[in-house]
Amino acid sequence: MKPLTQLRSRTAVLAHTNIDTDRIIPARFLTTTERTGLGEHAFEDWRYRADGSDNPDFELNRPEARGCQILVAGRNFGCGSSREHAPWALLDFGIQAVLSSEIADIFRSNALKNGLLAVVVSEAEHRWLLDHPGVELRIDVAGGFIELPDDGRFAFELDGFARHCLLHGVDQLGFIRQHAAEIEAFEQRVEQAA
Amino acid sequence: MTTPRTLFEKVWDAHQVVAEKPDAPAVLYIDLHLVHEVTSPQAFDELRRRELPVRRPDRTLATLDHSTPTLPAAADGTRPYTTAQAEAQVHTLENNCAAFGIELHGWDSDARGIVHVIGPELGATQPGMTIVCGDSHTSTHGAFGALAFGIGTTEVGHVLATQCLLQRKPKTFAIHVDHALPAGVSAKDLVLHVIATIGVGGGTGHVLEFRGPAIEALSMEERMTVCNMAIEAGARAGMIAPDDTTFAWLKGRPRAPQGDAWDRAVAHWKTLKSDDGARYDREVRIDASTVRPTVTYGTHPGMAAAMDAPVPAAANAQESRALDYMQVTAGKAMAGTPVDVVFVGSCTNSRLPDLRAAAEVLRGRSVAEGVRMLVVPGSESVRRAAEAEGLHEVFTAAGAEWRVPGCSMCIAMNGDLAQPGQLVVSTSNRNFEGRQGKGARTVLASPATAAASAVAGCIADPRSFFQTSEAAA
Ligand code: SF4
């Protein structure tokens, strides 16, 4: 994972609540054995019309949404399955951060492990962001705030460890493996007790 | 005096290899890791890249279920995969299990089936364990008093390599279910009712503990149905304290402890219940006696109501869009809505009692003209048991299709799917837009409701179909 200290981009807004992982990447694309290449199918069933052309009504197809790296989404984003293909597809599509008032647990954990910033903001801030699509934001990972164009700030909470991992690109598998001795001792204790 | 603890806390505490700190999550030991073809290939690749072995192949169990066809193999052994990529994904898991020494219940195994059906069947799922799988419905195993939850593929790699996960401790949420379910009302109706009550995001950040007399009265299969859908309320996991029902169900299963070890295990398992006075972060009370046959009317499992009750008016733009998609009218009951496809299967409702409930309704009756009904047993073992009782003959005589085990139309990635606009009454767990095929409309229901709807050709109350029970009165 590459370190991520800050992100500056305009926002694109998908106001729907409960956008589930089947929406983000439909199950029929899960037969891949790779992590890459899923971006072209992100939001597939909203994004394309039956003949395969772009659906002009889909928010992320609008010209002003092109190139936006910050997605402001409705409440309970990423609910549904545990498929890590969802954050993989978003990253491959060009999204680097998702902001919402509520983000599903497993999606959030998967996202952060892949350097996709999944950030929960308050209801009032969420409303403001939904009402201001295209606003230019700077997300400061170390400081834990989102900077608005008028210098206003929205503070957000991020688990200290998740923040540390993002800032330093920590290899979490390597981190667990540093505890190899404790894991071994734990297994021995359990096996003796059995 | 020690502080009273919840069931969840007892299991959590017993598995912390390194305790949680403000700046670092706990390192949590995982007793059982279930693996399937869809969410594992990239994790095995990561192990190869790092030249790491699987730490505990003996605590890892794999099966083929998601992208597998449910039509039998041709005479030459070829199987009707939807795409070459789906077939390649299955072969990838076969190769990975061979290379890393993992027990795989593949095509040649008489125990193959949906991952959350076979874990319990084999007795691999046991009270007090931590169980994970790259699949959100891992919550199913919580029915045994295990802490069981879904993980992403990166975490699948962590568990393969270290048998551990980095986890923050979730909060606890008690769902007290008082009184008893009325006759003819199933665990599926109950759990849909619970999700409609607490909301589709109502459990986020929490582990649910289902408790109370209505829960204690449930069979293991019914408890699995309830815990299976905990994730649909946004919860990480659902748990039910193990009791004599649990122990009787597990006894003698291949991976369950035997002899003295069994007695010691049961003595320990009996301690796995929430202490009197244990505190939960949230609590809610549900009265089981008020639950009626329940179905979903929208595009997430929280949009559920008794089928004879009027569909609530849309509370926001989202809900009104969902009603439009479903072609459902607020104020009108779901009962009577015409049905195109009926699916009985999935890790929610594909066990023997589920198939019996569907068969009881179908016996001596026919699937309505123009309705397609698919019955997909959860595992080879369920299939054998159902066929031994002649249930498959009841289904085929009624005009339903009897298939080989797999996830099938629950996730619709193996070729079993509905056409755009078709209405599916499904015993699975997700009614998201397009989940069962692009443009397909899903109504979640119990197996009995699904079968009754197949016969009636429209959403129908199964209680009028039971010949024997007082529910028919
Ligand atoms: S039956 Fe459905 S929910 Fe269950 S494991 Fe398969 S795809 Fe997932």
Side-chain angles (χ1 to χ4, degrees), chain B residues 195-323:
Chain B
I195 298 165
T197 306
I198 69 172
V200 72
T204 303
H206 293 76
V207 168
L208 309 185
E209 183 184 333
F210 297 96
R211 47 188 288 127
I215 298 296
E216 286 159 27
L218 298 177
S219 69
M220 281 321 296
E221 287 84 356
E222 292 171 313
R223 294 180 191 187
M224 286 189 250
T225 300
V226 169
C227 288
N228 174 274
M229 293 201 66
I231 176 75
E232 305 309 333
R236 225 42 231 285
M239 297 178 87
I240 294 174
D243 59 11
D244 289 341
T245 305
T246 321
F247 311 145
W249 200 93
L250 277 175
K251 192 161 188 177
R253 297 198 176 254
R255 284 188 169 219
Q258 317 285 338
D260 288 352
W262 170 261
D263 297 335
R264 282 199 304 279
V266 171
H268 168 58
W269 294 343
K270 285 186 170 163
T271 68
L272 296 172
K273 53 176 182 247
S274 293
D275 297 326
D276 291 339
R279 297 209 14 219
Y280 299 90
D281 295 294
R282 280 184 72 192
E283 300 189 43
V284 70
R285 298 205 92 88
I286 304 275
D287 179 354
S289 69
T290 64
V291 180
R292 306 202 295 275
T294 299
V295 295
T296 57
Y297 55 83
T299 55
H300 65 67
M303 298 177 82
M307 69 164 76
D308 56 359
V311 167
N316 51 44
Q318 213 54 50
E319 287 191 5
S320 87
R321 193 184 131 72
L323 296 187

Side-chain angles (χ1 to χ4, degrees), chain A residues 1 14-23 26-36 38 44-52 74-76 78-85 88 102-110 113-114 158-162 164-165 170-191 193-194, chain B residues 14-18 21-25 27 29 31 37-39 41-43 45-47 50 52 55-56 59 67 82-83 85-86 88-89 92 133-136 149-155 157-158 161-168 200-206 231-232 234-236 264 299-300 316 318 321 325 411-413 430 432-435 437-439:
Chain A
M1 196 170 87
L14 266 185
H16 309 251
T17 54
N18 303 317
I19 294 177
D20 57 74
T21 52
D22 280 88
R23 271 292 106 202
R28 58 187 186 279
F29 302 112
L30 305 188
T31 50
T32 179
T33 53
E34 314 282 334
R35 286 170 186 254
T36 50
L38 289 164
E44 171 96 7
D45 293 342
W46 273 341
R47 194 165 144 202
Y48 304 112
R49 291 192 289 208
D51 64 0
R75 186 173 45 77
N76 199 26
C79 61
S81 93
S82 60
R83 65 187 68 157
E84 200 160 315
H85 308 71
W88 294 339
E102 187 180 315
I103 298 179
D105 285 342
I106 307 182
F107 175 83
R108 183 138 79 126
S109 148
N110 284 338
K113 286 193 171 59
N114 286 275
L158 192 61
D159 176 78
F161 183 73
H164 174 76
C165 290
V170 171
D171 162 24
Q172 296 196 13
L173 176 49
F175 178 88
I176 303 176
R177 294 187 69 229
Q178 287 169 9
H179 292 287
E182 285 118 309
I183 298 171
E184 195 125 329
F186 180 92
E187 285 180 331
Q188 277 172 10
R189 256 198 336 273
V190 168
E191 252 124 69
Chain B
H15 289 85
Q16 282 197 102
V17 173
V18 179
K21 292 192 263 320
D23 63 349
V27 176
Y29 194 79
D31 294 317
E37 73 274 23
V38 176
T39 54
Q42 299 86 348
D45 282 349
E46 188 63 23
L47 261 62
R50 297 179 189 238
L52 291 173
R55 181 182 176 87
R56 294 295 297 264
R59 290 189 176 278
S67 27
T82 42
T83 59
Q85 201 183 41
Q89 192 176 55
T92 301
C133 173
D135 188 286
S136 55
F149 53 90
I151 57 177
T153 299
T154 298
E155 292 177 314
H158 294 176
T162 68
Q163 206 58 32
C164 288
L165 270 181
L166 294 171
Q167 286 289 301
R168 285 287 179 195
V200 72
T204 303
H206 293 76
I231 176 75
E232 305 309 333
R236 225 42 231 285
R264 282 199 304 279
T299 55
H300 65 67
N316 51 44
Q318 213 54 50
R321 193 184 131 72
Y325 179 86
I411 189 164
M413 63 182 289
R430 287 199 172 130
F432 299 152
E433 258 182 56
R435 169 86 176 182
K438 191 172 176 176

Side-chain angles (χ1 to χ4, degrees), chain A residues 51-130:
Chain A
D51 64 0
S53 64
D54 282 0
N55 169 11
D57 296 333
F58 178 54
E59 291 85 333
L60 302 190
N61 281 343
R62 298 207 185 116
E64 62 272 22
R66 302 270 166 190
C68 291
Q69 295 180 307
I70 302 177
L71 178 68
V72 176
R75 186 173 45 77
N76 199 26
F77 184 81
C79 61
S81 93
S82 60
R83 65 187 68 157
E84 200 160 315
H85 308 71
W88 294 339
L90 291 174
L91 285 164
D92 203 45
F93 180 72
I95 304 288
Q96 286 287 333
V98 179
L99 310 183
S100 181
S101 57
E102 187 180 315
I103 298 179
D105 285 342
I106 307 182
F107 175 83
R108 183 138 79 126
S109 148
N110 284 338
L112 292 170
K113 286 193 171 59
N114 286 275
L116 172 70
L117 199 51
V119 169
V120 174
V121 294
S122 74
E123 295 281 344
E125 292 161 354
H126 186 227
R127 178 96 321 267
W128 190 90
L129 289 168
L130 289 173

Side-chain angles (χ1 to χ4, degrees), chain B residues 66 114 116 135 137 346-347 407 410-411 429 435:
Chain B
H66 282 65
I114 304 174
H116 310 309
D135 188 286
H137 293 94
S346 90
C347 57
C407 296
C410 173
I411 189 164
N429 42 53
R435 169 86 176 182

